[in-house]
């Protein structure tokens, strides 16, 4: 469409150029074989000309008994009769035909005067139309942007969602409600109105909702929360209205609002007053949800990874009162997801789904899907026919730590990195509750200079105090090793320190694992500012100091323990660092070959 419009403009410009050329240059000059008028006169004198035709100033003389024609020009306003007479030729000796051009000339004059104006008008029309369409684009924002999934579209089914059995069961119940409401009504069951899908990012919330669209066989309106908020104030609310209107018309239907936290945040806790638009949209959703009866067979599905941020009005009974939780996949679920995404990719025989699932504790479904895709890309890049365990390992590391960055490192930096990572690994290895070292590397990734991986070997729903303390100790092992070997420390430990401090803070303020005892000390941040500013939940300065002291105690003790361990196993530390400088990366078996197996 726009291509055509562009073309039209070019054609118009070309046309006007052409007309300009005609006007200024007076049209194309003769065909090249024009002869002087004297030649025509001479031929007439010699009686060789049959007929002379005059067309404006153009003279065409037809030569007798031949097809030849002489073309010439006379001066403007001169009469051919006069010319012939003054040359001593009798005009009657030849047939003269004068074509009247005056009207034709007048037309050409008019057209060439008007056409540029017409073209200008045309151009302006096109420009205006463009502008108007743009404006309409803005006004059409007010209509719902919800995409409608109908029966005919390529569909995702529940079988495309691996694991998440409980969520699938609950959601298929809801599909049942829509299909056979009477069955439920007969027993007095109230049909749910709003269902909230809750879970960390990448756990398949969007995916499973698509699957519902595929399974339900009813119109499915899908929109992302952020799509309500665009450019014009007041648009969000009218979009909500429009979407509900459409859905009601086509009931039974499902409305799906993805990432609802972008509109459904708690109201009234912002300091800036700039959230009116969001509030209006939210209010409209609440109004609409109250405004339909269960008989209308409309179900509102929403997904969020931050249910804690949602406005209380949104989650009260009668609105989003049902929750379906999607959590990070456990071992069996990871296996299922891996198997699902392995389909269509060739793997070497020694790839073990079981091992892969064990290696990927804490990975979400999206992480797993990405990992497998990344492995395929890596294998393809190296021209392999099938994906090897090595590619999968690299992809898994990349998924969590970012891609390798080979960069020039001075020998001194490499040595520092080697001791730093060896420090984490050795300290961790000799702590009872820290998971075994999976891999150590001094190849930098993302922002880290190297890495030591202790991926969890099991799905834990709980952490113990002793394990948390040991994790802090291992995290501080890197800097402790630098200190021990070089008598100096580097900036490379910044993120280790952050991790250690966060664990320590949680131990003190949430888990009751310090001398302060089992008290919860929360100061919930709101938009980056302490919430206490508005509702008086602030910590007293005294409590604040006490928390700081407890955190410090934990960190200090752990750091000392790391130092003690490193002094004790200094020989092994040296060996591991040396091996790292040689090989850059040590796998778990190579590491255990040096330090002995984990007890
Ligand atoms: P969310 O909306 O919860 O952030 P998505 O639904 O967008 O997550 O998931 C992203 C991708 O991760 C999906 O398209 C799919 O490829 C993969 N994925 C996530 N969970 C699963 C699962 N349970 N089974 C299969 N694939 C999954
Ligand atoms: Mg999503
Ligand atoms: Zn470190």
């Amino acid at each position: 469409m726009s291509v055509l419009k562009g073309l039209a403009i070019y054609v118009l410009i070309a046309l006007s150029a052409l007309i300009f050329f005609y006007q200024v240059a007076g049209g194309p000059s003769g065909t090249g074989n024009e002869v002087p008028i004297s030649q025509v006169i001479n031929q007439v004198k010699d009686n060789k000309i049959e007929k002379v035709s005059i067309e404006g100033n153009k003279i065409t003389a037809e030569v007798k008994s031949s097809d030849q024609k002489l073309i010439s020009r006379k001066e403007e306003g001169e009469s051919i009769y006069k010319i012939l007479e003054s040359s001593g030729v009798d005009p009657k000796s030849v047939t003269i035909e004068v074509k009247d051009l005056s009207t034709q000339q007048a037309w050409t004059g008019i057209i060439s005067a008007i056409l540029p104006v017409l073209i200008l008008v045309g151009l302006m029309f096109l420009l205006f139309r463009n502008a108007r369409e743009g404006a309409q684009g803005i006004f059409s924002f007010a209509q719902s942007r919800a995409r409608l999934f109908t029966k005919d579209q390529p569909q995702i089914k529940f079988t495309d969602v691996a694991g998440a059995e409980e969520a699938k069961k609950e959601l298929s119940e809801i599909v049942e409600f829509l299909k056979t409401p009477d069955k439920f009504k007969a027993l007095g069951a109230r049909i749910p109105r709003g269902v909230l899908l809750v879970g960390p990012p990448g756990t398949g919330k969007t995916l499973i909702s698509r699957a519902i669209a595929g399974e339900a066989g009813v119109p499915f309106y899908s929109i992302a929360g952020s799509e309500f908020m665009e450019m014009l104030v007041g648009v969000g609310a009218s979009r909500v209205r429009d979407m509900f209107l459409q859905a009601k018309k086509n009931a039974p239907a499902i409305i799906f609002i993805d990432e609802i936290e972008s509109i459904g945040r708690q109201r009234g806790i912002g300091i800036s007053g700039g959230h009116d638009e969001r509030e209006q949209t939210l209010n409209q959703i609440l109004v609409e949800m109250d405004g339909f009866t269960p008989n209308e067979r409309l179900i509102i599905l929403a997904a969020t990874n931050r249910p804690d941020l949602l406005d209380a009005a949104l989650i009260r009974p009668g609105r989003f009162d049902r929750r379906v939780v999607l959590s990070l996949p456990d071992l069996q679920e990871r296996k299922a997801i891996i198997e699902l995404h392995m389909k269509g990719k060739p793997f070497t025989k020694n790839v073990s789904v079981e091992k892969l699932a064990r290696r990927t504790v804490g990975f979400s479904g999206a992480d797993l899907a990405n990992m497998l895709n990344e492995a395929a890309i890596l294998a393809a890049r190296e021209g392999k026919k099938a994906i090897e365990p090595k590619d999968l390992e690299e992809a898994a590391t990349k998924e969590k730590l970012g891609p390798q960055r080979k960069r020039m490192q001075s020998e001194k930096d490499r040595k520092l990195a080697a001791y730093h990572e060896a420090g984490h690994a050795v300290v961790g290895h000799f702590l009872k509750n820290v998971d075994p070292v999976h891999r150590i590397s001094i190849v930098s990734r993302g922002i880290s200079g190297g890495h030591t991986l202790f991926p969890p070997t099991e799905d834990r729903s709980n952490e113990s105090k002793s394990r948390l303390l040991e994790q802090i100790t291992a995290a501080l092992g890197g800097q402790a090793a630098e200190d021990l070997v070089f008598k100096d420390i580097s900036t490379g430990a910044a993120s280790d320190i952050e991790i250690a401090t966060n664990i320590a803070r949680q131990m003190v303020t949430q888990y009751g694992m310090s001398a302060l005892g089992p008290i919860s000390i929360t100061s919930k941040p709101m938009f980056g500012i302490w919430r206490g500013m508005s509702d008086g939940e602030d910590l007293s300065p005294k409590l604040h100091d006490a928390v700081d002291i407890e955190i410090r105690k934990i960190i200090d003790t752990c750091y000392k323990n790391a130092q003690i361990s490193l002094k004790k196993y200094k020989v092994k530390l040296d060996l591991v660092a040396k091996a790292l400088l040689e090989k850059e990366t040590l796998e778990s078996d190579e590491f255990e070959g040096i330090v002995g197996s984990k007890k």
Side-chain angles (χ1 to χ4, degrees):
M1 184 59 203
S2 61
V3 174
L4 274 180
K5 212 176 281 164
L7 213 65
I9 289 174
Y10 279 120
V11 169
L12 280 178
I13 288 171
L15 257 173
S16 39
L18 211 63
I19 282 169
F20 179 75
F21 165 77
Y22 259 84
Q23 287 222 313
V24 171
S29 50
T31 40
N33 49 14
E34 226 169 69
V35 296
I37 190 159
S38 55
Q39 201 183 325
V40 176
I41 294 169
N42 282 337
Q43 300 267 359
V44 174
K45 224 185 235 172
D46 296 348
N47 207 13
K48 281 185 183 150
I49 299 295
E50 176 88 50
K51 182 178 156 195
V52 177
S53 346
I54 312 293
E55 228 179 302
N57 293 327
K58 190 177 161 203
I59 300 169
T60 311
E62 290 172 27
V63 180
K64 268 185 189 161
S65 58
S66 94
D67 282 346
Q68 209 196 336
K69 276 181 185 170
L70 297 175
I71 294 167
S72 183
R73 262 170 204 284
K74 65 178 180 64
E75 306 249 314
E76 178 76 54
E78 290 268 6
S79 147
I80 186 74
Y81 295 95
K82 287 225 176 88
I83 293 171
L84 287 174
E85 267 172 2
S86 62
S87 313
V89 181
D90 183 5
K92 286 182 193 115
S93 65
V94 69
T95 323
I96 295 176
E97 190 185 83
V98 179
K99 288 182 185 160
D100 185 11
L101 268 182
S102 57
T103 50
Q104 204 181 324
Q105 268 172 341
W107 270 114
T108 325
I110 290 170
I111 287 174
S112 53
I114 285 180
L115 209 60
V117 178
L118 278 179
I119 285 168
L120 261 178
V121 170
L123 269 174
M124 272 159 83
F125 172 74
L126 274 181
L127 285 176
F128 273 121
R129 203 171 61 176
N130 270 352
R132 205 181 48 215
E133 267 169 24
Q136 267 172 359
I138 292 175
F139 296 127
S140 68
F141 278 173
Q143 284 149 28
S144 147
R145 280 286 182 84
R147 286 170 300 270
L148 175 63
F149 290 82
T150 52
K151 285 177 207 145
D152 327 312
Q153 263 147 351
Q155 282 178 358
I156 294 179
K157 295 273 182 180
F158 278 148
T159 47
D160 296 309
V161 185
E165 291 307 328
E166 263 171 61
K168 277 197 259 182
K169 205 174 117 226
E170 284 195 57
L171 292 170
S172 44
E173 239 174 65
I174 287 159
V175 172
E176 280 287 292
F177 270 133
L178 284 180
K179 284 184 173 163
T180 52
D182 299 337
K183 190 168 113 190
F184 293 89
K185 267 191 230 153
L187 296 174
R190 194 171 54 85
I191 294 178
R193 206 171 269 209
V195 180
L196 197 59
L197 282 172
V198 181
T203 44
K205 296 181 296 296
T206 306
L207 183 74
I208 209 167
S209 67
R210 289 267 157 80
I212 297 172
E215 298 277 346
V218 301
F220 185 91
Y221 296 87
S222 163
I223 192 164
S226 55
E227 285 174 87
F228 284 118
M229 305 296 129
E230 264 172 78
M231 272 171 79
L232 292 184
V233 177
V235 157
S238 59
R239 274 195 187 163
V240 170
R241 216 174 302 133
D242 192 57
M243 186 173 69
F244 273 82
L245 211 69
Q246 281 184 39
K248 272 184 217 169
K249 240 187 273 168
N250 295 306
I254 298 175
I255 289 179
F256 173 54
I257 305 173
D258 206 354
E259 286 151 29
I260 195 172
E261 73 275 5
S262 63
I263 29 174
R265 276 172 192 262
Q266 300 162 43
R267 288 167 294 183
I269 54 166
I271 290 178
S272 71
H275 294 293
D276 290 354
E277 171 66 358
R278 210 168 45 73
E279 260 184 45
Q280 282 177 18
T281 309
L282 174 58
N283 285 339
Q284 191 63 39
I285 290 180
L286 299 179
V287 167
E288 296 288 348
M289 287 191 80
D290 288 341
F292 66 87
T293 56
N295 300 333
E296 276 177 290
R297 288 211 273 160
L298 202 56
I299 287 182
I300 323 297
L301 200 66
T304 181
N305 46 30
R306 294 300 306 275
D308 54 313
L309 289 183
L310 292 183
D311 196 281
L314 208 52
I315 45 186
R316 77 152 171 72
R319 288 177 184 149
F320 289 105
D321 48 359
R322 270 232 187 173
R323 275 193 190 210
V324 174
V325 178
L326 285 162
S327 40
L328 287 177
D330 64 19
L331 183 66
Q332 291 309 320
E333 290 174 317
R334 284 197 301 278
K335 261 199 221 164
I337 297 173
I338 290 169
E339 270 162 4
L340 192 85
H341 286 278
M342 276 172 90
K343 274 189 203 135
K345 297 188 181 80
F347 290 88
T348 55
K349 286 218 171 58
N350 53 352
V351 169
S352 151
V353 177
E354 173 80 28
K355 252 194 204 153
L356 212 52
R358 286 194 182 283
R359 159 75 178 84
T360 48
V361 178
F363 278 50
S364 69
D367 290 337
L368 292 171
N370 279 350
M371 175 189 81
L372 288 162
N373 188 47
E374 196 60 46
I377 292 172
L378 285 174
R381 207 182 279 157
E382 291 177 24
K384 292 178 194 165
K385 289 266 179 296
I387 301 163
E388 293 173 10
K390 199 171 129 266
D391 305 315
L392 289 160
E393 175 56 41
E394 172 59 27
T397 313
K398 188 173 168 188
E399 189 57 41
K400 287 292 173 195
L401 294 176
Q404 286 194 2
R405 272 192 311 149
K406 296 260 182 205
R407 63 167 175 223
M408 290 299 290
Q409 271 179 317
S410 69
E411 206 43 41
K412 191 166 156 256
D413 283 348
R414 288 186 75 231
K415 205 171 163 199
L416 189 83
Y419 269 100
H420 179 104
E421 298 307 331
H424 286 305
V426 170
V427 170
H429 183 77
F430 292 105
L431 287 168
K432 204 168 84 230
N433 298 297
V434 172
D435 290 303
V437 170
H438 178 75
R439 194 185 206 201
I440 324 169
S441 173
I442 54 167
V443 178
S444 61
R445 275 174 194 277
I447 51 162
S448 77
H451 61 264
T452 303
L453 299 180
F454 305 93
T457 45
E458 54 189 332
D459 295 296
R460 295 186 180 87
S461 52
N462 249 321
E463 292 281 3
S464 64
K465 181 177 174 184
S466 51
R467 219 181 93 77
L468 289 174
L469 286 173
E470 292 189 1
Q471 279 177 327
I472 297 175
T473 310
L476 296 175
Q479 191 169 51
E482 290 180 29
D483 194 10
L484 180 71
V485 177
F486 303 100
K487 303 282 176 277
D488 194 6
I489 52 178
S490 74
T491 54
S495 72
D496 298 335
I497 293 173
E498 195 186 329
I499 290 168
T501 313
N502 281 343
I503 299 176
R505 174 173 321 246
Q506 287 176 338
M507 288 174 70
V508 176
T509 60
Q510 292 176 29
Y511 308 137
M513 293 176 179
S514 75
L516 297 182
I519 51 168
S520 167
I521 307 164
T522 48
S523 30
K524 289 189 195 121
M526 79 174 184
F527 305 125
I529 300 162
W530 292 106
R531 188 182 192 171
M533 275 180 71
S534 58
D535 58 13
E537 261 189 20
D538 205 357
L539 305 184
S540 72
K542 221 171 128 194
L543 191 53
H544 200 284
D545 288 349
V547 168
D548 281 351
I549 289 167
E550 287 307 312
I551 293 173
R552 181 165 302 280
K553 264 199 238 162
I554 292 174
I555 298 283
D556 283 349
T557 316
C558 290
Y559 193 78
K560 277 205 190 86
N561 286 341
Q563 281 180 315
I564 292 167
S565 169
L566 287 173
K567 273 185 197 136
K568 187 168 164 195
Y569 300 108
K570 175 72 168 42
V571 181
K572 305 217 159 157
L573 178 73
D574 287 335
L575 286 173
V576 173
K578 192 163 156 270
L580 271 176
L581 284 170
E582 270 167 29
K583 297 191 186 165
E584 292 203 326
T585 300
L586 298 179
E587 301 298 339
S588 59
D589 48 342
E590 294 169 296
F591 173 69
E592 294 200 348
I594 298 171
V595 296
S597 57
K598 176 131 189 159
K599 275 170 217 107

